[in-house]
Amino acid sequence: MPQTFFRLPLARIVTLLVLCVAQPVMAASYQEAQNLLRQGQHAKALDEVNELVSANPKDRGARFLKGVILAEMNRLDEAAAVFTKLTEEAPELPEPYNNLAVIYAQQKQYDKARTALEMSIRTHPTYATAHENLGDLYTQMARQAYDRALQIDSGNANAQAKLKLLRDMMTAGNRTTTTPTTKPVVIAAASSAASVVPTPVTPPTASSSAAASAKAQPPIAAASSSVASSSAKPVAEKPAANASSEVQAALEGWAAAWSRKDVRAYLAAYGKDFQTPGGVNRKTWEAERESRIDKPGAIKVSISGLRIEVNGDKATAQFRQHYSSASLNTATPKTIVMTRQGSRWVIQQERVGR
């Protein structure tokens, strides 16, 4: 089903958030609405979710899904009203602001889109998606400004060069994006070009094998190793296959520590050179992560679709991260760069998307 996206990476201005419904009966209806949406049966999905909202007007999960469905149906003003109300009721959640920004961008209300993204970042300073989206929004605004400059002065060499650079960025972004086969649950950003680069949403329940593997992993130990004597022989580089297995084990251990709410083991999975989102202070980032993980209630984190590329002592892992709690359920594409430090693989970079 065609949707309009920026030809810049602003196609990633989407949200993969799915809020859980606690009651079993409502959860079944909620899942049915999601299934209908994935099948492109928007009207039926809207009817299903409207029944949920009527039964429980305070159910934010159902209302959030209603906003997604309305946006898919191009009923943007109605969708914006849903997300605006959610930002008023739950200002601590970054995702409704993010979706609201998408709608504003599609309506070419770029100042409002920027404000919404800045609010998303303010509520969650380490929300990498919003940081990236804000950069993409600025890029789109810059392209329009250079276009206007050239309309006024077609011989402006500086504007021509900068516009060419932006177009090259757009082309490079399109080459690195593959179109998935699964149907997306996305809200597309606006564009003057009609190119489809959808982002999929997989069901929130992770595969049993991935979950079982995560549970089987022991806690990640704090970084420690004995110092080899100066006369020791250098350790030969491990084969890529073994390194891939080690990276996978490290990632599954990281997810398991997160699920156990073992903050110490979770943070130990990150290297000393970890690049914090937005360049925030490491202690600030750790404190923010601890406060989010250590909230009351159980959580479950697992990964699926793992792809690993090893190059010496550096590895890049791409996968889908599944996160669920009593009030939140997400399935998000993730890219993590890891480095081998001693006998351990630790996280150096972490970002949403691929």
Side-chain angles (χ1 to χ4, degrees):
M1 169 171 46
Q3 300 180 59
T4 304
F5 287 81
F6 281 121
R7 293 295 290 169
L8 289 169
L10 193 53
R12 293 180 184 173
I13 291 193
V14 296
T15 181
L16 305 179
L17 177 73
V18 181
L19 300 177
C20 289
V21 182
Q23 296 86 345
V25 174
M26 295 183 68
S29 298
Y30 187 84
Q31 185 62 50
E32 177 62 19
Q34 290 188 77
N35 292 338
L36 289 168
L37 179 57
R38 278 193 287 267
Q39 294 164 11
Q41 301 184 53
H42 297 139
K44 290 184 178 181
L46 185 59
D47 289 342
E48 191 79 28
V49 82
N50 275 336
E51 290 185 14
L52 286 170
V53 175
S54 296
N56 187 359
K58 294 184 179 181
D59 185 340
R60 292 173 184 165
R63 288 156 56 204
F64 186 93
L65 182 57
K66 179 177 179 177
V68 173
I69 295 169
L70 288 170
E72 285 286 308
M73 298 174 75
N74 205 34
R75 293 163 61 172
L76 300 183
D77 289 339
E78 295 173 75
V82 171
F83 293 127
T84 298
K85 187 67 173 177
L86 286 170
T87 63
E88 294 169 355
E89 293 179 7
E92 74 280 3
L93 292 178
E95 290 85 359
Y97 286 112
N98 186 71
N99 271 18
L100 194 56
V102 173
I103 293 172
Y104 287 146
Q106 187 163 350
Q107 295 173 331
K108 298 186 179 180
Q109 300 183 63
Y110 297 129
D111 287 339
K112 286 186 175 181
R114 182 186 64 223
T115 299
L117 285 171
E118 289 173 346
M119 285 300 298
S120 180
I121 292 169
R122 188 177 303 172
T123 63
H124 187 179
T126 58
Y127 187 29
T129 298
H131 283 285
E132 180 180 2
N133 292 341
L134 184 59
D136 294 338
L137 181 64
Y138 280 133
T139 303
Q140 176 67 10
M141 294 171 70
R143 190 184 74 168
Q144 291 190 337
Y146 292 139
D147 277 333
R148 287 195 294 270
L150 289 173
Q151 289 174 4
I152 297 170
D153 179 10
S154 60
N156 188 325
N158 285 335
Q160 289 174 353
K162 292 172 182 176
L163 186 58
K164 181 179 182 302
L165 177 61
L166 288 179
R167 286 173 176 163
D168 289 344
M169 289 170 57
M170 291 153 52
T171 301
N174 293 333
R175 281 200 302 266
T176 58
T177 304
T178 57
T179 303
T181 56
T182 54
K183 279 186 175 291
V185 178
V186 304
I187 300 175
S191 174
S192 56
S195 174
V196 181
V197 188
T199 302
V201 169
T202 59
T205 302
S207 66
S208 58
S209 60
S213 178
K215 290 179 181 178
Q217 291 300 321
I220 300 175
S224 65
S225 60
S226 58
V227 180
S229 65
S230 59
S231 61
K233 294 182 179 180
V235 178
E237 185 172 334
K238 297 184 179 181
N242 291 343
S244 294
S245 298
E246 292 172 354
V247 170
Q248 180 175 350
L251 286 170
E252 290 173 345
W254 162 78
W258 193 352
S259 298
R260 294 193 311 273
K261 305 180 76 171
D262 185 342
V263 176
R264 181 177 180 182
Y266 170 83
L267 293 177
Y270 293 83
K272 292 182 179 180
D273 58 348
F274 172 63
Q275 299 176 17
T276 57
V280 300
N281 178 273
R282 175 65 179 257
K283 289 186 177 180
T284 301
W285 173 79
E286 288 187 352
E288 189 273 338
R289 294 305 301 150
E290 181 173 0
S291 67
R292 291 180 71 88
I293 294 172
D294 205 26
K295 288 182 179 179
I299 60 175
K300 181 179 180 181
V301 183
S302 60
I303 62 178
S304 65
L306 179 61
R307 292 187 299 171
I308 300 172
E309 182 178 339
V310 178
N311 184 10
D313 286 338
K314 179 171 276 191
T316 301
Q318 295 182 332
F319 54 90
R320 185 164 291 278
Q321 174 183 294
H322 303 273
Y323 176 97
S324 63
S325 67
S327 61
L328 180 64
N329 192 325
T330 62
T332 310
K334 207 81 172 282
T335 298
I336 284 183
V337 177
M338 306 188 74
T339 58
R340 183 160 48 199
Q341 297 180 5
S343 60
R344 302 175 62 242
W345 285 91
V346 294
I347 300 172
Q348 185 184 56
Q349 299 177 40
E350 181 180 10
R351 64 178 182 271
V352 175
R354 298 184 177 180

